Amino acid sequence: MKKTAWSLCSMCSVRCPIKVEVEDNEVTWIEGNPKILKGALCAKGSAGTALRDDTERPQQPLIRKGPRGGGRWEPVTWEQAADYIADKLKGIIEKYGAKAIMLSDRGGPFPDLHKAFIHALGSPNYSNHDSGCGRNVHHASLSVYGLGRKDFVYDIKNSKHLVLFGRNILESLRIAEANQVLDMLDAGGRMTYVDVRQTITGLKATRFIQVRPGTDYALLLGLIHGLIKKEAYDKEFIEKYVTGFDELVKFIEPYTPEWAATECGIKPKAVNDFIAEIIQDMPKIVFHPGWMLARYRDSFYASRAIQILNVLCGNVEVKGGQIFAKGAGDCGKKGLKSLDAQIPKPTDPRADGVGTKYKHFDKGPGLFHLFYDVMKTGEPYPIKALFCYRHDPLNCFPDPEAQKAVLDNCDLLVSIDVHYSEFGWYSDVILPESMYLERESILAVAKGPSPRIQIRQKAVEPKFNTKPSWEIFKLLADKMGVGQRLPYNTIEELWNFQLEPTGYKIEDFNEKGFISLSDGPVMYDRNNLDGKFKTPSGKIEIISQKLTDAGLPSLKPYESPAKPEKGKFRLVFGRTAVNAHGHTINNPLLFELFPENSLWIHKREATKLGIEDGDWVDVISDGASGTLRATVTEFIHPEAVYTCHGFGRQIPAQTRAYGAGVSDSRLQTGLLMDMDVAGGGLNLCEKFVTVKRSSKNMKRRVEL
Ligand SMILES: Nc1nc2c(c(=O)[nH]1)N[C@H]1C(S)=C(S)[C@@H](COP(=O)(O)OP(=O)(O)OC[C@H]3O[C@@H](n4cnc5c(=O)[nH]c(N)nc54)[C@H](O)[C@@H]3O)O[C@H]1N2
Ligand SMILES: Nc1nc2c(c(=O)[nH]1)N[C@H]1C(S)=C(S)[C@@H](COP(=O)(O)OP(=O)(O)OC[C@H]3O[C@@H](n4cnc5c(=O)[nH]c(N)nc54)[C@H](O)[C@@H]3O)O[C@H]1N2
Ligand code: SF4
Ligand SMILES: [Mo]
């Protein structure tokens, strides 16, 4: 029998809307939703069928036998797994209270269910991956606008100029965004790309600037100086909506474009030409805030400087600029009913201190890595159980061995995952979620100029004994006696619960896979944005009251990043278009395309070390090392070496990916608690490593 299902891809965290064709319970075709993506799909999205067929994923619930990480598992039924977890949780609650339980999640459209679950248990300790990702960018945005990084969207298609700092937009991609970039370039728009190495994005850019690692903040300050000295900024917009401009004018005085050029190791003309273009193109220009930017000690301030440039150009709520993301309320509609909103908020303070000790951070998911301190010390109170849903902290945060030592203080570790994750392999129970084509999810609103409600319908029946998360959390909630907090038994009941205030019906998704909440783009009146900025003053704040209250500067004087000692290199990382972090590496199709990572090293440095392209090299950091192939190139700054994130997996059950390449996270020893105190992000690029030609080369030659 043939059918069509509307779903959301889950091969990476972008979750593109897709159309899935099915025949006799097998997927025959996947494409991007024609109404939104005109059929486009990336390589990972197309490899979803290989994930469905992959037998190297957990096929039923598993309970650990033997020591943690030993790889011995007992297959159990869902009832047995849920009883085991409930028993442990009850013991923990009795001894330490419900607050000793934490759940970590993946940000995105579905957290409502997961928040509801942890709050129903009575714990405030909900977290996610974001201190390893976009927290600096998010907090920078909050400090300037009182709005987070997801409260704006970028109208790249209609812009004249897209400026990217280490935002490798055509490889670390979202399909809709990448297509907007190509449309913008086709229409004659400009793209400036700044990185320490060349990338696909840099190749397509109209201007590529290779900076010395960690100097983006200097370049940004030079640009701000240029605009201010030329009085080329939107005076009316600033007068109306911005506070702290005079302080900025004073602060920026020493940071000339020429100074910036020297600091970044580029020609002054490159900076001055760039400034001239910015002036021509404003306000239809987007300084993309980055996603995780590059994580250096001043990346939070670099990210704030990016936002200040957007503000100077007056690109807020302008076609071709940055636009407020609209929700149901902006379209005169009611939004989805929230499960979490029905549950009384736990009254205990968060264990990570976000909201109490750290008042300038967004309480939302807090900061996961701070929980490691809590697990270690038991302060302010013990954390004894950790659930990770769609999050692999051992791959996400630095130094997995240091993390494992701390996790040993927990009595229960549960992984709810489609794959074996590094965390799952070390945990006590694995609850396998059905892969995305085999399950439904809760409904979610995609905010934007034209917001919509999206559905993920089940395309095919699960191949193995797996369950969707809505069923897993319900099962666990029932076992814990709080099942009534998740008031549904079937997905239809859950969807109807969510849809209740909206007046829409489940059938309304059938035609195109989503419900449009507006007839076209919704724009605010740019002359009347009062009330839209959620800072304490209601204005765009160049001097942030929250930062001042926390004893932190809003405009931080520039400090030059450390240069590597002789014989050392700064370790930087990124991604390729065909992989998403660590979880796609073992996918049979994607593994064929990119089986292992290599170490990019500048030709001059490689020659000094006797390294040739393709040689095995040892990369050594204090306490960890790895061996991988060298890619010798002129297209990387000599101070840096680069590798692709997600490799060096340590799970024998994933036979393809096991041990292939090297994990950058393992090399990042000592960085687990190296947090940007102002931005909350981890300073992942602050690691220096030694590189040498490996003795593995010699052996090979003798063998040959
Ligand atoms: N060294 C270093 N560290 C980094 C980065 C880096 O580049 N280098 N990148 C940082 C960034 S930007 C991020 S976002 C984080 C990412 O860190 P994580 O969020 O931990 O990474 P992912 O690999 O995306 O996914 C986590 C888990 O979700 C599982 N998963 C995938 N699909 C599903 C599903 O449908 N259901 C369920 N239940 N599970 C699923 C995967 O198998 C994986 O185990 O890492 C950060 N840390
Ligand atoms: N294919 C694919 N797409 C993805 C993901 C994926 O895993 N795979 N993950 C998604 C996620 S969670 C995220 S957060 C985004 C991340 O998207 P991006 O922010 O674009 O992240 P990366 O690919 O890590 O690129 C980081 C770049 O920063 C550069 N860099 C290092 N140091 C410096 C420096 O000092 N200055 C500058 N200017 N650049 C520097 C690195 O060389 C690298 O090219 O991608 C998303 N899209
Ligand atoms: S970018 Fe690719 S992998 Fe990510 S959700 Fe979209 S189609 Fe799937
Ligand atoms: Mo990310």
Side-chain angles (χ1 to χ4, degrees):
M1 204 188 66
K2 285 190 185 183
K3 71 166 189 180
T4 300
W6 299 107
S7 180
L8 300 171
C9 181
S10 189
M11 294 297 286
C12 85
S13 47
V14 174
R15 301 176 181 93
C16 293
I18 51 172
K19 184 179 173 194
V20 187
E21 302 295 352
V22 176
E23 197 172 340
D24 297 333
N25 201 38
E26 284 308 329
V27 175
T28 52
W29 181 248
I30 310 176
E31 64 179 26
N33 186 314
K35 290 258 177 351
I36 300 168
L37 297 174
K38 297 190 190 132
L41 202 64
C42 81
K44 304 181 294 297
S46 306
T49 47
L51 166 59
R52 168 155 162 88
D53 295 338
D54 191 359
T55 51
E56 295 190 354
R57 57 172 168 131
Q59 301 181 16
Q60 67 282 302
L62 299 168
I63 296 181
R64 175 173 60 81
K65 284 198 329 198
R68 277 187 180 153
R72 288 174 57 222
W73 297 99
E74 183 174 341
V76 293
T77 64
W78 281 94
E79 281 296 311
Q80 285 169 318
D83 283 336
Y84 179 91
I85 292 170
D87 268 6
K88 289 264 183 187
L89 288 182
K90 284 174 189 162
I92 289 169
I93 292 174
E94 203 170 275
K95 208 158 161 197
Y96 307 101
K99 60 182 188 281
I101 307 168
M102 95 177 250
L103 180 141
S104 190
D105 194 5
R106 180 59 124 124
F110 305 123
D112 188 44
L113 173 65
H114 316 134
K115 280 184 193 160
F117 172 73
I118 189 75
H119 292 156
L121 290 181
S123 172
N125 292 315
Y126 172 82
S127 194
N128 71 15
H129 69 290
D130 209 38
S131 63
C133 175
R135 274 293 102 166
N136 278 338
V137 175
H138 177 65
H139 285 138
S141 177
L142 269 180
S143 72
V144 174
Y145 305 104
L147 297 165
R149 74 183 163 110
K150 292 181 182 162
D151 291 321
F152 289 101
V153 290
Y154 305 96
D155 186 14
I156 295 170
K157 186 174 175 175
N158 293 308
S159 76
K160 290 186 181 167
H161 197 157
L162 174 63
V163 185
L164 304 159
F165 291 83
R167 172 71 190 99
N168 187 3
I169 206 160
L170 296 178
E171 288 182 271
S172 299
L173 55 86
R174 313 162 94 179
I175 290 186
E177 195 176 51
N179 282 339
Q180 282 204 37
V181 172
L182 299 178
D183 287 347
M184 182 272 285
L185 290 173
D186 281 349
R190 299 193 242 242
M191 178 160 79
T192 296
Y193 185 68
V194 183
D195 200 317
V196 302
R197 65 181 186 113
Q198 185 53 286
T199 60
I200 302 285
T201 311
L203 290 174
K204 293 259 183 219
T206 44
R207 168 174 292 106
F208 170 62
I209 300 179
Q210 184 179 285
V211 289
R212 179 163 98 75
T215 59
D216 298 67
Y217 187 37
L219 180 56
L220 287 154
L221 293 176
L223 299 179
I224 295 174
H225 185 284
L227 295 189
I228 288 184
K229 285 290 156 182
K230 290 188 163 50
E231 293 198 31
Y233 47 84
D234 188 333
K235 296 194 185 79
E236 215 177 301
F237 184 81
I238 289 169
E239 183 76 18
K240 210 166 162 150
Y241 297 120
V242 180
T243 65
F245 182 70
D246 294 341
E247 283 90 334
L248 177 67
V249 172
K250 262 184 251 144
F251 167 79
I252 208 71
E253 194 59 38
Y255 303 118
T256 63
E258 291 69 25
W259 164 84
T262 310
E263 184 57 29
C264 299
I266 56 182
K267 294 202 171 71
K269 186 172 180 314
V271 185
N272 284 317
D273 288 356
F274 185 17
I275 292 171
E277 281 183 5
I278 295 171
I279 295 170
Q280 278 173 20
D281 298 335
M282 66 171 63
K284 290 194 172 199
I285 182 164
V286 172
F287 289 88
H288 197 296
W291 207 327
M292 53 175 208
L293 204 65
R295 261 76 60 74
Y296 293 84
R297 296 238 148 80
D298 59 9
S299 292
F300 169 73
Y301 288 97
S303 202
R304 275 181 50 83
I306 288 179
Q307 294 301 0
I308 289 171
L309 279 163
N310 279 321
V311 171
L312 292 179
C313 292
N315 73 358
V316 180
E317 208 62 0
V318 165
K319 208 172 171 203
Q322 53 174 350
I323 295 175
F324 286 87
K326 314 296 183 321
D330 296 300
C331 309
K333 305 260 168 73
K334 291 256 177 359
L336 295 172
K337 186 165 162 186
S338 153
L339 291 161
D340 185 41
Q342 320 302 317
I343 298 168
K345 288 280 152 313
T347 47
D348 292 302
R350 298 179 58 91
D352 57 3
V354 175
T356 45
K357 186 172 167 196
Y358 302 104
K359 286 207 175 60
H360 61 297
F361 292 147
D362 179 6
K363 248 207 274 186
L367 296 167
F368 184 112
H369 65 275
L370 293 179
F371 282 97
Y372 282 130
D373 243 0
V374 179
M375 287 174 196
K376 197 147 87 185
T377 62
E379 297 296 334
Y381 52 80
I383 290 288
K384 289 290 173 186
L386 168 61
F387 286 82
C388 283
Y389 173 80
R390 212 201 183 296
H391 178 209
D392 186 357
L394 296 183
N395 192 51
C396 172
F397 300 117
D399 204 344
E401 296 310 318
Q403 293 181 60
K404 286 179 191 170
V406 184
L407 289 173
D408 284 344
N409 294 325
C410 287
D411 298 339
L412 179 67
L413 305 175
V414 180
S415 163
I416 306 175
D417 205 302
V418 164
H419 306 88
Y420 294 108
S421 68
E422 300 287 338
F423 171 80
W425 200 249
Y426 197 70
S427 67
D428 306 321
V429 186
I430 297 179
L431 300 179
E433 184 168 34
S434 306
M435 54 85 69
Y436 63 102
L437 298 167
E438 304 172 331
R439 70 174 194 255
E440 313 88 347
S441 295
I442 63 170
L443 300 173
V445 172
K447 287 171 88 182
S450 312
R452 55 178 191 263
I453 310 178
Q454 320 200 103
I455 196 164
R456 176 184 275 147
Q457 297 170 337
K458 190 202 283 185
V460 284
E461 291 304 319
K463 225 169 207 163
F464 307 118
N465 184 13
T466 57
K467 283 186 188 293
S469 61
W470 61 267
E471 228 181 298
I472 298 174
F473 286 110
K474 175 70 176 171
L475 176 65
L476 294 175
D478 280 343
K479 293 280 179 198
M480 292 303 292
V482 294
Q484 78 284 4
R485 295 293 187 196
L486 302 181
Y488 60 81
N489 289 306
T490 63
I491 190 68
E492 287 76 20
E493 283 175 19
L494 174 51
W495 285 343
N496 282 329
F497 168 92
Q498 292 185 279
L499 286 172
E500 187 203 299
T502 67
Y504 295 115
K505 302 254 167 314
I506 299 174
E507 304 79 74
D508 296 339
F509 291 95
N510 287 351
E511 192 196 328
K512 47 188 184 156
F514 60 94
I515 295 172
S516 301
L517 293 170
S518 67
D519 295 332
V522 178
M523 295 290 277
Y524 297 149
D525 175 3
R526 189 169 174 276
N527 294 318
N528 188 12
L529 293 175
D530 292 333
K532 299 289 187 229
F533 304 110
K534 306 293 182 199
T535 52
S537 65
K539 300 274 181 192
I540 295 174
E541 292 184 351
I542 288 179
I543 304 298
S544 156
Q545 192 55 49
K546 279 198 171 171
L547 288 177
T548 311
D549 292 348
L552 294 161
S554 288
L555 297 167
K556 188 170 148 307
Y558 183 78
E559 283 171 52
S560 197
K563 287 200 169 151
E565 289 165 24
K566 202 165 177 287
K568 290 203 169 186
F569 301 87
R570 194 184 278 273
L571 178 67
V572 304
F573 50 80
R575 315 138 218 284
T576 69
V578 303
N579 274 310
H581 307 285
H583 72 86
T584 54
I585 311 280
N586 197 53
N587 180 292
L589 287 178
L590 298 172
F591 185 77
E592 242 178 67
L593 292 176
F594 201 98
E596 61 183 19
N597 57 355
S598 66
L599 188 82
W600 291 32
I601 182 165
H602 190 274
K603 198 170 172 192
R604 197 177 67 214
E605 301 300 318
T607 308
K608 278 191 223 159
L609 296 167
I611 294 166
E612 286 175 19
D613 192 47
D615 276 354
W616 291 103
V617 286
D618 297 330
V619 188
I620 304 148
S621 76
D622 30 353
S625 64
T627 304
L628 74 178
R629 299 266 188 198
T631 296
V632 176
T633 169
E634 283 168 44
F635 297 106
I636 183 164
H637 194 282
E639 280 184 18
V641 287
Y642 161 86
T643 195
C644 177
H645 174 57
F647 283 84
R649 291 183 71 77
Q650 300 289 314
I651 302 160
Q654 296 186 328
T655 57
R656 293 170 289 271
Y658 181 54
V662 167
S663 156
D664 53 342
S665 312
R666 268 176 198 277
L667 293 168
Q668 290 168 340
T669 46
L671 293 188
L672 184 55
M673 303 309 281
D674 193 344
M675 176 179 89
D676 184 324
V677 287
L682 287 170
N683 299 320
L684 297 180
C685 287
E686 296 292 350
K687 189 75 213 173
F688 294 94
V689 292
T690 310
V691 179
K692 58 177 197 194
R693 193 167 181 275
S694 173
S695 55
K696 201 169 166 181
N697 293 301
M698 309 293 189
K699 264 198 238 138
R700 284 203 141 212
R701 283 189 188 164
V702 174
E703 276 164 16
L704 283 172

